[in-house]
Amino acid sequence: MKNKFIYLAIIAVGFASCEPEFDNAVDANYSSGEADFTSYVAIGNSLTAGYMDGTVSRVGQTYSFPNLLAQQFALVGGGAFTQPSYADDVNNLGGIQGLTGTRLVINASVGGVQPIAGSPTITLAPQAMAYNNMGVPGAKSFHLRLPGYGNPAGLALGQANPYFVRHATTTTATVIGDAMTKNPTFFTNWIGANDVLSYATSGGAKADGMTPAVDHNATGFINPLAYGGNDITNSNLFEDTYTNLINTLTNGGAKGVVCTIPSVTSIPYFTTVPYAPLSPTALGGATNIATLNAQLYGPLDAIFTAYGEPNRINPLSATSANPILIYDADATDRSAQITGALSGTLGVPTATAFGMVFGKARQATAADLVVLPASSVIGSPNTSSPSTSININGVTYPMANKWVLTANEKAKVAAATASYNASIRSIAATKNLAVADMNAIMNQLVSGLQIETGQIYTANYFSGSTTEGLVLFSLDGVHPNARGYAVITNEIIKVINQHYHSNLPLHNPSYFPGINIVPSN
Amino acid sequence: MRKLLSLTLLALAGSTAFAGGYRVSIQGQKQLAMGHTGVAIVNSAEVAFFNPAGMAYLDKKFNLSVGGNALFANTKFQNSQYNWEASSENLGTPFSVYATYKLNNWLTAGLAIYTPYGSSVEWDQDWQGAHLVNNINLQAIFVQPTISIRVGEHFSVGGGPIYATGSINFNKNLATNPLLSDNGSGSDVTLDAKGITAWGYTAGFMFNPSKKVRLGFNYRSEITMEARDGDATYADVPAFAAVNPALQNSTFNADLPLPAEVTTGISYQVTNKWLVAFDYNYALWSAYKELKVEIANGTTSINARNYQNASTYRFGTQYKANDKFTFRAGWYFDESPVQDGYFAPETPRNDSTGYTGGLTYQVNSKFGIDFSFLYLHFDEIENSYDHYSENGNVLPFGGTYKSSVFSPGIGITYGF
């Protein structure tokens, strides 16, 4: 009898240590498939570097898609993944001392976007080290092969990049050269966006904001040393450069993923500010509109119509929102005709001034894209105007070239983007590399991209804390926020799983931060 | 004895949900050892719970049964799509006190105090399912004065009111979005309500066609615990949202149904030493459609549950070896009330199979010590909760769950 009692007690103790066990551990089926993640190197630009909210910051960098990818690679044999050090960003402000501003945040007390208060502590002190993440913000395709791109002496001449200066191994090193010292077994390559986007984000203008930047698909120039900073790279140069980069990367048998270039119509930087934001109320009401029509819009409309351009300018409406007045570098120059038509009523000097101001002006149309920073310029006085009667940006003074990507400029960008992407896909095919079609994915965002959780994300800019959870773009309107980088990482993982028959887990974007909101700034 | 009683009353009645939803089917050491059959068994004062009608058939004038269990419930969670792992280890202490007194040969009075509902589930704060639950502790104690009336040789009825008192403490994060977080910890709300009271009743009959066979039937009514003006306290709210009215500490109202339960069963005295029994429980869980929490600061949280009615099939056996020792064993199959797509981590229970055993050591004719043991086996289950939305989009949360529950118990029986 007593034995039975002891037996029961032992069973009880035995069960007391009874832990539930799964049939299969959570990572039982993870594998790298045909890929080898031992040494993963990422090359590219700001999108690869973890740039968001207008800068690279210490915390933001941890959400770069290569770093997020490396976390999953680590589960299947991936090695250590290093990124350029931002230890000097002690307060997580971003920016570069003396060069750029701090990271953008929403200041809740004023409800607007501002650089976070404080001065950047990030310096150009050289780390002289190759890292796994060789994403260099601002780099175009040919920059990755340019010796001296990390030479501080070249900064003033525009031949070097401060981000690469921070970690180039020598003053003559190239980005691709440094990348190869890591002996990559796997790579991601997302270069080419700046070859066309630096033109697009500057509204098709050079640094002066007015002179048109050059489309080298029209000029045929293939010497990048002669390119302006905002010029569109020639497609043949791009293809040669890209081929060269891929040949170098795959030299040692490395496998990888290449990413296509997004189109501008899928980036909130270009799609947030409407082309017709001037509501009758904003224009001061019916009386003011009538005055503007009588004194400016009417006369200009009459002149343009007389010369065969009846819809170049139309009178302002008192019932619906009106398009802004813009400078179009491709418009027919009517300054002489305007001067001539108005000399009688305004006198020659004033008429000449009008001619110079409005010679290439027109109203924006739905085919034009207004860049995000223009929103704080529209409606403000322009100091370049000769007279306070015609000095309101977008209303009585045409928006400068840099604020608008006109339909023509947009077409040049689209053609170059399509051409680069065709090259990327065909070069990838020759090396049997996986292609992450970021162009297609981000186009889907425009109408709504539904991810595996059922969550639907869009390409909208931040518009309030209640919908903040759906926003994938950071406050600079071009780069994803941490959540957006998680979505991008997942898309790349899916491509890797499919192409290399790996089994890697995803990240869940819902748990990633988006926009940073501070109570005051 | 009195001290023991008061101590057990003060003890936390919180115990981990098992036996479907948050129902804790541990209402007596002798009967638990028999697979928690009891509606057609007259063994001890425990019958006051299982079937009040049975009190009329107890031999002794006075019967007392006091017992308690240490209920260990461990649940593991994993999701291989996202490489998530989490686990929850919980300890509950259900207890019971039963006393019967034979007033005359047809009327018996009794008092039953027991803890039929409880749930104590604790996950790591800010785990992946934190937006559904971080931790929950709900407990209910039923106090049931009962009478039993014997009608002739073979038939009896019994019943009485149930006074329920309970409390709930529930903490969860407000969102998966880290925008609502402070210093790395998600903003969370703690809902706390104590001293919730409600009334219900129990009623049953017992029919003994012969000396060997008993048939029993018992019905316990649904009791709705209405939490009114409980405390809603927010923590880890980021600075920019500090003055948001929806995040100000406030009070809340919520209703939680403790479902009605119907039990029928039969027992058969095979020999004068050996008894076998079968019980069938039917719990009307469909009363629990949603958990609606209305907070006075204007926020309303509706958490769909859509529980369905669930059955439990119980088999038990008892063998009285001699005057000192009686052995018991039992087996049961417990259906979970949780439907597919409504599997929330605050009550992670799928169908389960229970194995019970126990014995009584009779010290003398008046006093005995009961031991019981329960092991509840759960299959691994892959399921999710698909009724949570954020920003207007449904955000399902699921994975693979595996639970393991076991409970040793001890009690004393005293009678004369």
Side-chain angles (χ1 to χ4, degrees):
Chain A
M1 290 302 152
K2 268 192 180 164
N3 285 342
K4 282 190 182 172
F5 175 62
I6 293 166
Y7 181 68
L8 275 168
I10 289 168
I11 292 174
V13 170
F15 275 124
S17 49
C18 195
E19 279 283 295
E21 289 285 328
F22 287 107
D23 294 340
N24 293 309
V26 68
D27 56 0
N29 292 325
Y30 296 160
S31 91
S32 60
E34 295 154 19
D36 176 3
F37 302 121
T38 318
S39 175
Y40 161 48
V41 172
I43 67 167
N45 54 27
S46 50
L47 290 163
T48 299
Y51 192 101
M52 62 177 83
D53 296 319
T55 185
V56 180
S57 65
R58 179 171 44 83
V59 173
Q61 190 200 40
T62 62
Y63 294 109
S64 70
F65 83 79
N67 201 29
L68 296 179
L69 271 180
Q71 287 167 12
Q72 312 304 75
F73 292 166
L75 300 169
V76 290
F81 188 79
T82 57
Q83 308 197 100
S85 170
Y86 278 83
D88 49 1
D89 190 12
V90 284
N91 293 320
N92 193 38
L93 301 176
I96 297 181
Q97 220 172 56
L99 279 179
T100 65
T102 56
R103 64 182 170 89
L104 297 171
V105 292
I106 294 287
N107 180 345
S109 60
V110 303
V113 181
Q114 294 177 347
I116 195 168
S119 294
T121 53
I122 296 170
T123 67
L124 297 180
Q127 295 164 24
M129 210 160 99
Y131 290 98
N132 293 87
N133 190 337
M134 292 296 294
V136 179
K140 299 188 182 193
S141 55
F142 49 83
H143 287 137
L144 299 184
R145 305 183 59 212
L146 190 64
Y149 193 55
N151 186 347
L155 282 172
L157 303 163
Q159 290 163 1
N161 182 316
Y163 288 98
F164 190 43
V165 165
R166 293 184 82 244
H167 60 87
T169 50
T170 68
T171 53
T172 53
T174 65
V175 175
I176 186 69
D178 279 0
M180 293 311 291
T181 63
K182 301 296 279 182
N183 295 320
T185 57
F186 195 85
F187 66 87
T188 53
N189 179 356
W190 196 0
I191 197 70
N194 288 328
D195 292 72
V196 68
L197 280 182
S198 60
Y199 177 89
T201 53
S202 31
K206 284 187 189 287
D208 64 6
M210 280 302 283
T211 323
V214 183
D215 174 13
H216 289 292
N217 284 315
T219 66
F221 290 170
I222 55 167
N223 179 4
L225 297 175
Y227 282 5
N230 293 339
D231 291 352
I232 296 179
T233 304
N234 176 284
S235 297
N236 292 325
L237 170 63
F238 179 85
E239 182 162 324
D240 285 345
T241 306
Y242 205 90
T243 307
N244 210 290
L245 287 170
I246 292 296
N247 286 344
T248 309
L249 285 165
T250 55
N251 205 345
K255 301 188 160 87
V257 182
V258 299
C259 304
T260 55
I261 314 304
S263 68
V264 295
T265 48
S266 63
I267 299 174
Y269 189 85
F270 300 100
T271 58
T272 304
V273 182
Y275 78 94
L278 305 174
S279 65
T281 329
L283 289 172
T287 336
N288 216 36
I289 289 171
T291 315
L292 284 167
N293 282 339
Q295 294 181 348
L296 185 64
Y297 282 75
L300 285 176
D301 185 14
I303 296 164
F304 286 126
T305 309
Y307 287 96
E309 292 178 290
N311 284 318
R312 186 157 159 174
I313 285 186
N314 290 314
L316 294 170
S317 160
T319 51
S320 52
N322 293 285
I324 46 175
L325 210 55
I326 66 172
Y327 173 92
D328 184 350
D330 295 324
T332 315
D333 191 348
R334 300 283 180 203
S335 34
Q337 291 86 339
I338 293 170
T339 310
L342 295 177
S343 289
T345 44
L346 299 177
V348 171
T350 316
T352 315
F354 266 63
M356 283 175 54
V357 169
F358 298 103
K360 288 203 151 195
R362 66 168 171 87
Q363 279 176 318
T365 69
D368 301 314
L369 296 174
V370 183
V371 300
L372 186 62
S375 62
S376 54
V377 172
I378 295 171
S380 66
N382 191 314
T383 51
S384 316
S385 170
S387 158
T388 52
S389 64
I390 49 164
N391 73 338
I392 301 297
N393 282 314
V395 185
T396 56
Y397 193 88
M399 297 290 289
N401 191 352
K402 68 174 178 173
W403 302 119
V404 181
L405 196 66
T406 62
N408 273 357
E409 291 165 340
K410 198 173 81 173
K412 293 175 191 174
V413 168
T417 307
S419 175
Y420 298 162
N421 284 339
S423 297
I424 291 171
R425 292 193 187 99
S426 70
I427 293 165
T430 64
K431 298 287 187 185
N432 195 21
L433 298 170
V435 178
D437 198 346
M438 291 304 162
N439 183 293
I441 288 159
M442 289 171 76
N443 278 344
Q444 257 190 284
L445 271 175
V446 175
S447 51
L449 171 72
Q450 186 165 52
I451 64 169
E452 60 286 337
T453 59
Q455 181 84 287
I456 298 174
Y457 290 114
T458 61
N460 292 335
Y461 191 69
F462 171 75
S463 63
S465 52
T466 48
T467 53
E468 190 278 334
L470 299 176
V471 173
L472 296 186
F473 283 92
S474 71
L475 292 171
D476 62 29
V478 177
H479 299 88
N481 55 34
R483 187 184 302 128
Y485 280 123
V487 171
I488 283 171
T489 306
N490 283 350
E491 294 305 316
I492 294 175
I493 289 174
K494 288 177 196 169
V495 162
I496 292 174
N497 282 346
Q498 202 231 352
H499 190 92
Y500 292 111
H501 306 117
S502 325
N503 188 352
L504 295 166
L506 303 174
H507 290 280
N508 190 318
S510 306
Y511 298 85
F512 282 76
I515 303 297
N516 225 245
I517 302 181
V518 294
S520 62
N521 195 22
Chain B
M1 189 58 69
R2 271 193 206 140
K3 214 181 199 178
L4 183 64
L5 273 171
S6 59
L7 279 172
T8 51
L9 279 170
L10 286 169
L12 270 175
S15 26
T16 309
F18 77 108
Y22 38 88
R23 172 85 174 86
V24 178
S25 286
I26 296 185
Q27 267 77 57
Q29 300 311 313
K30 287 185 156 76
Q31 297 321 121
L32 176 63
M34 286 182 71
H36 215 253
T37 54
V39 77
I41 297 174
V42 181
N43 254 346
S44 67
E46 292 173 17
V47 73
F49 164 78
F50 290 89
N51 189 347
M55 291 186 335
Y57 289 104
L58 286 166
D59 289 330
K60 297 186 174 151
K61 192 173 177 75
F62 175 75
N63 293 278
L64 176 71
S65 286
V66 179
N69 282 64
L71 181 56
F72 298 91
N74 301 329
T75 301
K76 283 202 168 141
F77 166 81
Q78 69 182 28
N79 179 314
S80 57
Q81 186 182 31
Y82 297 114
N83 195 29
W84 290 343
E85 282 180 289
S87 70
S88 175
E89 288 89 38
N90 308 287
L91 170 64
T93 50
F95 69 88
S96 57
V97 176
Y98 303 108
T100 67
Y101 187 74
K102 198 175 246 181
L103 292 166
N104 57 43
N105 65 356
W106 56 268
L107 183 64
T108 309
L111 179 67
I113 303 169
Y114 52 94
T115 57
Y117 291 95
S119 176
S120 175
V121 182
E122 189 170 327
W123 300 94
D124 285 342
Q125 190 74 17
D126 298 320
W127 73 296
Q128 301 91 354
H131 56 289
L132 295 173
V133 61
N134 275 310
N135 55 71
I136 181 166
N137 192 317
L138 80 88
Q139 43 192 286
I141 301 175
F142 283 16
V143 178
Q144 177 195 301
T146 326
I147 58 157
S148 175
I149 296 170
R150 189 163 169 160
V151 183
E153 270 280 336
H154 306 284
F155 191 75
S156 66
V157 294
I162 297 174
Y163 172 74
T165 173
S167 67
I168 181 163
N169 186 292
F170 180 32
N171 177 285
K172 72 181 197 71
N173 282 9
L174 298 176
T176 57
N177 190 340
L179 182 68
L180 273 179
S181 71
D182 194 46
N183 274 340
S185 181
S187 308
D188 59 86
V189 62
T190 304
L191 301 171
D192 190 272
K194 294 185 184 29
I196 308 165
T197 61
W199 287 93
Y201 65 88
T202 181
F205 67 79
M206 196 177 270
F207 177 54
N208 307 322
S210 77
K211 273 206 158 347
K212 286 182 180 272
V213 177
R214 293 194 201 273
L215 294 157
F217 174 88
N218 180 246
Y219 175 77
R220 273 194 325 282
S221 69
E222 179 186 324
I223 297 177
T224 306
M225 301 297 274
E226 297 175 350
R228 296 287 176 266
D229 293 331
D231 291 323
T233 312
Y234 295 88
D236 295 321
V237 173
F240 77 87
V243 294
N244 188 324
L247 299 174
Q248 301 308 309
N249 289 348
S250 182
T251 59
F252 78 94
N253 294 341
D255 288 350
L256 193 69
L258 308 178
E261 205 166 295
V262 178
T263 309
T264 67
I266 183 170
S267 74
Y268 181 65
Q269 196 79 43
V270 182
T271 70
N272 60 1
K273 289 190 180 210
W274 184 23
L275 174 72
V276 295
F278 168 74
D279 270 23
Y280 170 72
N281 300 131
Y282 187 66
L284 281 76
W285 279 107
S286 55
Y288 189 26
K289 298 213 171 342
E290 64 187 22
L291 178 61
K292 184 170 168 185
V293 181
E294 289 169 310
I295 306 181
N297 64 19
T299 45
T300 299
S301 156
I302 297 181
N303 311 280
R305 293 283 179 262
N306 266 357
Y307 275 18
Q308 57 189 6
N309 295 343
S311 301
T312 309
Y313 307 86
R314 304 179 181 281
F315 294 88
T317 184
Q318 174 176 274
Y319 185 74
K320 190 169 179 198
N322 54 40
D323 283 338
K324 288 283 181 202
F325 283 96
T326 306
F327 298 100
R328 302 183 183 91
W331 177 95
Y332 65 88
F333 175 70
D334 195 11
E335 265 179 18
S336 168
V338 180
Q339 292 200 61
D340 273 348
Y342 288 91
F343 203 88
E346 120 255 328
T347 328
R349 292 295 174 257
N350 45 320
D351 293 348
S352 56
T353 313
Y355 302 85
T356 67
L359 64 97
T360 296
Y361 176 65
Q362 201 68 27
V363 178
N364 56 44
S365 63
K366 291 186 184 178
F367 186 74
I369 308 174
D370 303 314
F371 299 93
S372 73
F373 189 79
L374 163 72
Y375 170 63
L376 203 53
H377 171 86
F378 295 81
D379 279 341
E380 191 174 286
I381 182 159
E382 194 168 326
N383 216 313
S384 62
Y385 185 74
D386 301 333
H387 298 271
Y388 170 84
S389 1
E390 221 168 276
N391 294 129
N393 278 335
V394 172
L395 211 58
F397 177 80
T400 314
Y401 293 85
K402 177 82 161 103
S403 296
S404 174
V405 172
F406 57 92
S407 175
I410 189 166
I412 59 105
T413 314
Y414 180 77
F416 58 82

